[in-house]
Amino acid sequence: MDPGDGPRRPFRRDPGRWGPTSPQRQDRAFHAPAPAAPSPSPSPSPASHRREAGRCGGPSAAMRPTPACACGAGACTTPTMEPGRTQDKSERHRGEQSMERAGSPGRRTLLAGGLVGAAVALAGCSAKSEASSAPSASSQARPTTPAAAFTRLMEGNQRWVSGHLQHPDRDPSRRQLLARGQEPFGSVLSCIDSRVPPELLFDTGLGDLYVMRTGGAAVGPVVTGSVEYGPMTSNTPLVVVLGHQRCGAVKAAYQSLRDGKRLPGNLQAIVKALQPAYEQALRESGTDPVDTMARAQVTLTAADLRANQDLAPLVRRGALAVVGAYYSLDTGRVEVLAGAPA
Ligand SMILES: [Zn+2]
């Protein structure tokens, strides 16, 4: 049996813990109707437009075709390159590839959904809208399927393990070309542990990943909403929940729960969030209960995300995979626990 497919636990239905089922959140954001388009306003000057671009156009711009610029002003001529610098042939070609991807049917279909429009409204700035006109400097085409994204990450991890790193797309050119938009191919939820940086252990570049990091990869409404952001606004086809060996947060939570001693301050919130994994570890009664709990936290969280009311439709139609994985500090290798795409 897939360890992530265990029985649903009562606590998971607590709307206070899980964003998508929270009535408050439904009212405010993801399930709100798309905002009405504002009245027309004069086109900004190129200078004022550049000043505004960082804040993007908000909800109205997110729903507006943006043939020239992601900020929503159709007449914008804001350059994507620094003054005096010209694109070389390979950069122009990559930009053309990005534009082709931006117009893919799947992308248009998702854009048409009111759900995405509402999600964009929540963010106040559209990653998708920006990405529609953002060229990509990646040396490889962006993976668009869960399997391709998963393969890309695991290939990067193999390079991390072997030491044959590529350090892709980590230069000023990449930064400049992504400044107006992003379209990451993966989202990683991992621990805050300084030894587990997803961008390094998957050997990815700038703009490749959304990364959420919390102690023990603990989740709550804000974290869950952050995980949802990529799949719902950028067509991100892969979410990885990544636990790791010798997790200090999991160990502290395990000891707190075992001994009935609260941790000080807000650390107790992490303990509370990890309690289901603790209970799962007790049921499994492994030889290393802390490690068992770390793995349980991964599989339970991945299963919940897979069943999440906003992500589950994407999973069902094969547009998204939610993978549970575990990172070895000793070897650097990422082990898949559940949910690897076929
Ligand atoms: Zn940790």
Side-chain angles (χ1 to χ4, degrees):
M1 186 181 87
D2 184 335
D5 293 331
R8 301 284 297 169
R9 292 153 293 144
F11 91 97
R12 296 293 178 179
R13 290 192 291 271
D14 179 356
R17 296 176 61 91
W18 294 95
T21 59
S22 164
Q24 182 184 25
R25 183 145 167 261
Q26 289 175 7
D27 291 341
R28 289 194 311 183
F30 277 60
H31 299 279
S39 58
S41 57
S43 298
S45 67
S48 65
H49 187 191
R50 280 193 290 275
R51 287 196 298 273
E52 294 297 316
R55 290 188 284 114
C56 195
S60 59
M63 304 305 292
R64 185 187 307 154
T66 55
C69 177
C71 77
C76 175
T77 56
T78 303
T80 57
M81 305 294 291
E82 62 186 12
R85 184 173 182 273
T86 57
Q87 284 184 313
D88 62 30
K89 184 177 179 181
S90 61
E91 287 174 335
R92 286 196 299 272
H93 177 63
R94 288 192 292 266
E96 290 163 3
Q97 288 180 322
S98 178
M99 294 299 286
E100 290 173 3
R101 291 195 299 276
S104 65
R107 184 179 187 77
R108 288 193 296 270
T109 300
L110 194 58
L111 264 176
L115 196 62
V116 171
V120 165
L122 170 68
C125 184
S126 168
K128 175 173 284 297
S129 177
E130 290 181 337
S132 296
S133 59
S136 169
S138 175
S139 55
Q140 300 183 65
R142 174 186 182 271
T144 57
T145 66
F150 178 70
T151 298
R152 175 73 64 84
L153 282 189
M154 295 308 285
E155 288 175 348
N157 179 245
Q158 289 169 7
R159 295 194 299 272
W160 172 254
V161 171
S162 68
H164 298 116
L165 296 164
Q166 293 181 354
H167 304 297
D169 300 322
R170 301 182 187 180
D171 51 32
S173 174
R174 174 72 165 177
R175 170 173 54 77
Q176 290 159 1
L177 288 167
L178 287 177
R180 292 199 168 278
Q182 61 176 330
E183 198 176 21
F185 68 82
S187 295
V188 179
L189 168 61
S190 67
C191 182
I192 60 172
D193 194 295
S194 64
R195 301 163 295 179
V196 192
E199 294 92 338
L200 296 185
L201 63 91
F202 288 120
D203 195 23
T204 55
L206 189 69
D208 284 341
L209 299 177
Y210 288 112
V211 177
M212 286 62 59
R213 299 184 69 173
T214 64
V219 292
V222 172
V223 176
T224 303
S226 300
V227 173
E228 293 167 354
Y229 186 83
M232 295 178 69
T233 68
S234 305
N235 270 3
T236 302
L238 179 67
V239 170
V240 176
V241 181
L242 185 66
H244 70 95
Q245 188 180 26
R246 302 189 196 100
C247 179
V250 170
K251 182 178 181 180
Y254 176 86
Q255 293 173 338
S256 171
L257 291 164
R258 180 195 62 190
D259 301 338
K261 295 181 179 177
R262 291 175 60 88
L263 294 186
N266 290 305
L267 293 177
Q268 185 59 28
I270 298 176
V271 174
K272 185 178 179 182
L274 296 180
Q275 184 166 355
Y278 172 78
E279 294 169 353
Q280 178 71 21
L282 291 184
R283 288 191 291 271
E284 294 184 16
S285 62
T287 56
D288 183 343
V290 173
D291 193 68
T292 302
M293 180 174 165
R295 292 169 181 266
Q297 171 61 11
V298 166
T299 53
L300 291 173
T301 301
D304 279 321
L305 289 171
R306 246 177 257 125
N308 172 307
Q309 69 177 27
D310 291 317
L311 299 183
L314 301 177
V315 172
R316 279 197 296 271
R317 70 167 186 258
L320 172 69
V322 180
V323 177
Y326 176 93
Y327 176 73
S328 168
L329 296 178
D330 290 337
T331 66
R333 190 175 301 281
V334 171
E335 169 193 354
V336 175
L337 300 182

